[in-house]
């Protein structure tokens, strides 16, 4: 169809420019709307990602809290004089006595054993004659050595205990059979191991013998010969030549997973050093002395605690340790402790030996300790 200018379908030039402007404006508006929409989608995606991240963090925190709930924050320490070995009639019986102490402590989940010298060699003066470490000193070291030997998982003993006369009969002693003494194919979240002297690729961790068929590659490079606690990675790849794991503190299995993970052994040169060299920075917040002259354990209510210490005497009781300790100005041992307890009221023998008192006392104290730790102490 012809228009008034004779042109076919032609529009005036001004109108065409106007149309183009309208198209351009519309195009710009559409782009703007699209960009806005796109930005909104991007923001929504970002918010969704953030929400997912927060949810994952929350879940991880809940898992960690649940693990902490499984954990045991409190510890139990026991102190006793090494001189008790001197009451044994033969070298074999000396070892057996040490074995009894180790087993009693493992049975009652003792975390630390302190062997103190009740004859107090920690004299601050240099006056007088030095008589050498002698038999008494040796009893402390021997007791500590046998306790350490029995605590060490069997598969690691060769690495940490060279032949020594103190351990002559230790191989015959009853094993502790505690949770960290794993059989080869036993499944466990944690294992004790020794770092091997094997080259590793740069950026990779050391190899550790954890007493399993496969070695474990840990997350760090550590010095060969070091004893480590390893948390094994799950799920494991059955095809892999090695297992993967991370090194954790030896406290981790107890504090996080509530497992009994053996005891540490500490030597103290006198009774006062049992307290003053406490490895916990807060110190022991509950101390119990044991004696037939103490008050009955039956009526006691123990307060909530973080680190408890139960102290035993030797042949002459705790008085012997107090008398010779140059750092103590008291004569009555009961004043050193929060509680001074008779754990076997109405005993039928004139004396209860230290190794017997250990089993009796830990057994009598157990329900009181359980009650006390029901309300955890903040610190
Ligand atoms: C052979 S006893 C010491 C006896 C010593 N005649 C005395 O008077 O204490 C060795 C240790 O076993 C513990 N013991 C013995 N009888 C006890 C009892 N009835 N209650 C709590 N602990 C006891 C104490 O730690 C004591 O120091």
């Amino acid at each position: 169809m012809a228009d008034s200018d004779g042109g076919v379908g032609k529009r005036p030039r001004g109108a065409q420019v106007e149309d183009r402007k309208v198209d351009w404006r519309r195009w710009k508006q559409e782009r703007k709307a699209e960009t806005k929409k796109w930005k909104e989608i991007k923001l929504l995606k970002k918010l969704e990602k953030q929400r997912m991240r927060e949810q994952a963090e929350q879940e991880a925190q809940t898992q960690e809290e649940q693990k902490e709930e499984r954990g045991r924050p409190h510890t139990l320490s026991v102190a006793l004089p090494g001189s008790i070995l001197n009451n044994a009639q033969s070298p074999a019986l000396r070892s057996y006595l040490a074995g009894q102490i180790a087993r009693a402590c493992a049975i009652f989940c003792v975390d630390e054993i302190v062997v103190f010298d009740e004859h107090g060699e920690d004299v601050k003066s240099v006056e007088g004659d030095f008589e050498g470490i002698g038999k008494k000193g040796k009893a402390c070291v021997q007791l500590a050595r046998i306790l350490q030997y029995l605590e060490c998982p069997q598969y690691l003993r060769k690495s940490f205990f060279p032949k020594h006369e103190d351990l002559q009969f230790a191989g015959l002693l009853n094993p502790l059979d505690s949770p960290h003494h794993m059989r080869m194919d036993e499944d466990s979240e944690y294992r004790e191991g020794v770092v091997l002297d094997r080259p590793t690729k740069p950026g990779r961790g050391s190899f550790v013998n954890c007493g399993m068929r496969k070695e474990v590659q840990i997350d760090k490079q550590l010095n060969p010969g070091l004893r480590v606690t390893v948390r094994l990675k799950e799920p494991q790849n059955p095809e892999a030549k090695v297992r993967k794991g991370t090194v954790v503190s030896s406290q981790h299995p107890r504090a996080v997973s509530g497992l009994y993970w053996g005891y540490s052994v500490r030597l103290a040169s006198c009774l006062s050093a049992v307290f003053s060299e406490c490895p916990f920075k807060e110190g022991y917040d509950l101390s119990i002395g044991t004696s037939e002259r103490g008050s009955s354990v039956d009526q006691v209510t123990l307060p909530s605690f973080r680190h408890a210490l139960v102290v035993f005497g030797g042949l002459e009781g705790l008085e012997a340790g107090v008398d010779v300790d140059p750092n103590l100005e008291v004569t009555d041992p009961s004043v050193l402790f929060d509680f001074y307890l008779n754990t076997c009221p109405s005993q039928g023998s004139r004396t209860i030996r230290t190794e017997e008192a250990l089993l009796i006392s830990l057994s009598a104290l157990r329900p009181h300790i359980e009650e006390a730790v029901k309300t955890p102490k903040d610190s």
Side-chain angles (χ1 to χ4, degrees):
M1 195 179 93
D3 59 18
S4 53
D5 311 334
V8 180
K10 262 202 169 170
R11 301 191 57 201
R13 205 176 147 76
Q16 279 180 2
V17 171
E18 201 48 47
D19 279 356
R20 243 182 268 145
K21 264 191 191 166
V22 170
D23 283 351
W24 175 243
R25 217 176 291 135
R26 192 179 302 135
W27 184 84
K28 256 176 94 177
Q29 276 169 354
E30 279 173 7
R31 291 289 77 74
K32 221 175 169 181
E34 260 176 38
T35 313
K36 198 176 161 200
K37 209 170 157 192
W38 179 76
K39 274 188 180 165
E40 276 172 7
I41 292 171
K42 210 175 148 190
L43 185 68
L44 279 173
K45 273 190 184 163
K46 199 176 158 188
L47 286 172
E48 179 62 11
K49 255 191 187 168
Q50 192 177 329
R51 195 184 64 80
M52 302 254 282
R53 200 172 41 233
E54 280 170 3
Q55 195 178 332
E57 277 170 10
Q58 182 73 41
E59 275 168 18
Q61 196 182 331
T62 316
Q63 271 179 10
E64 217 40 55
E65 279 168 7
Q66 278 170 351
K67 268 189 207 155
E68 269 169 30
E69 274 167 27
R70 279 198 292 150
R72 171 167 63 88
H74 68 274
T75 63
L76 176 61
S77 300
V78 153
L80 74 179
S83 63
I84 60 167
L85 287 201
N86 296 331
N87 307 331
Q89 309 283 324
S90 70
L93 287 174
R94 246 171 116 86
S95 293
Y96 190 76
L97 180 52
Q100 281 181 299
I101 304 294
R103 279 205 45 87
C105 288
I107 290 167
F108 289 100
C109 301
V110 169
D111 304 291
E112 182 197 26
I113 308 179
V114 192
V115 180
F116 66 92
D117 188 341
E118 65 174 345
H119 300 104
E121 247 75 84
D122 190 26
V123 185
K124 296 276 182 271
S125 147
V126 287
E127 307 264 311
D129 297 326
F130 176 63
E131 285 161 11
I133 291 169
K135 203 177 163 213
K136 284 167 196 150
K138 211 172 161 259
C140 290
V141 176
Q142 186 181 15
L143 178 55
R145 203 190 303 276
I146 297 176
L147 292 175
Q148 281 181 331
Y149 175 87
L150 288 175
E151 186 280 335
C152 182
Q154 283 89 332
Y155 58 85
L156 295 180
R157 285 186 188 156
K158 261 196 192 134
S159 310
F160 296 106
F161 294 91
K163 260 189 161 192
H164 193 284
E165 59 167 355
D166 282 351
L167 299 173
Q168 191 188 354
F169 297 98
L172 303 174
L173 297 176
N174 298 323
L176 298 194
D177 214 6
S178 54
H180 68 310
H181 287 195
M182 300 287 165
R183 316 272 191 286
M184 187 177 270
D185 293 315
E186 222 172 323
D187 240 356
S188 166
E189 190 178 354
Y190 305 94
R191 266 182 181 261
E192 288 295 289
V194 57
V195 178
L196 297 171
D197 192 3
R198 278 242 255 110
T200 49
K201 287 183 188 155
R204 298 279 181 88
S206 308
F207 291 99
V208 174
N209 168 17
C210 286
M212 295 189 293
R213 289 183 200 281
K214 289 178 184 176
E215 280 156 8
V216 180
Q217 188 159 32
I218 53 172
D219 54 325
K220 294 181 177 65
Q221 289 266 355
L222 294 174
N223 287 340
L226 204 70
R227 180 170 162 181
V228 282
T229 306
V230 177
R231 186 182 197 173
L232 296 162
K233 218 173 188 172
E234 283 293 349
Q236 57 168 305
N237 173 7
E239 309 298 320
K241 277 193 189 142
V242 290
R243 292 270 325 242
K244 296 272 178 188
T246 46
V247 172
V248 293
S249 106
S250 58
Q251 310 290 312
H252 196 101
R254 167 188 60 79
V256 177
S257 303
L259 293 169
Y260 177 58
W261 210 246
Y263 50 75
S264 61
V265 181
R266 175 162 73 89
L267 277 166
S269 54
C270 55
L271 182 55
S272 57
V274 172
F275 294 89
S276 62
E277 289 165 11
C278 170
F280 308 108
K281 65 176 188 304
E282 322 87 294
Y284 300 109
D285 52 357
L286 173 64
S287 60
I288 300 170
T290 56
S291 168
E292 61 198 68
R293 287 174 292 285
S295 49
S296 169
V297 70
D298 300 339
Q299 278 79 46
V300 78
T301 305
L302 299 178
S304 179
F305 66 89
R306 194 77 183 205
H307 303 296
L309 169 71
V310 187
V311 186
F312 296 85
L315 197 63
E316 295 143 33
L318 281 168
E319 284 80 357
V322 170
D323 285 347
V324 299
D325 194 320
N327 307 313
L328 297 174
E329 275 158 19
V330 294
T331 47
D332 174 9
S334 71
V335 300
L336 297 176
F337 305 98
D338 298 322
F339 293 88
Y340 200 57
L341 299 178
N342 177 352
T343 56
C344 190
S346 322
Q347 63 193 61
S349 171
R350 270 190 209 94
T351 52
I352 295 176
R353 300 169 69 92
T354 308
E355 64 276 22
E356 295 164 342
L358 185 61
L359 273 171
I360 296 167
S361 304
L362 293 178
S363 172
L365 285 168
R366 201 187 57 83
H368 299 281
I369 289 176
E370 296 254 299
E371 197 54 41
V373 296
K374 267 188 190 160
T375 342
K377 189 174 176 177
D378 317 314
S379 79

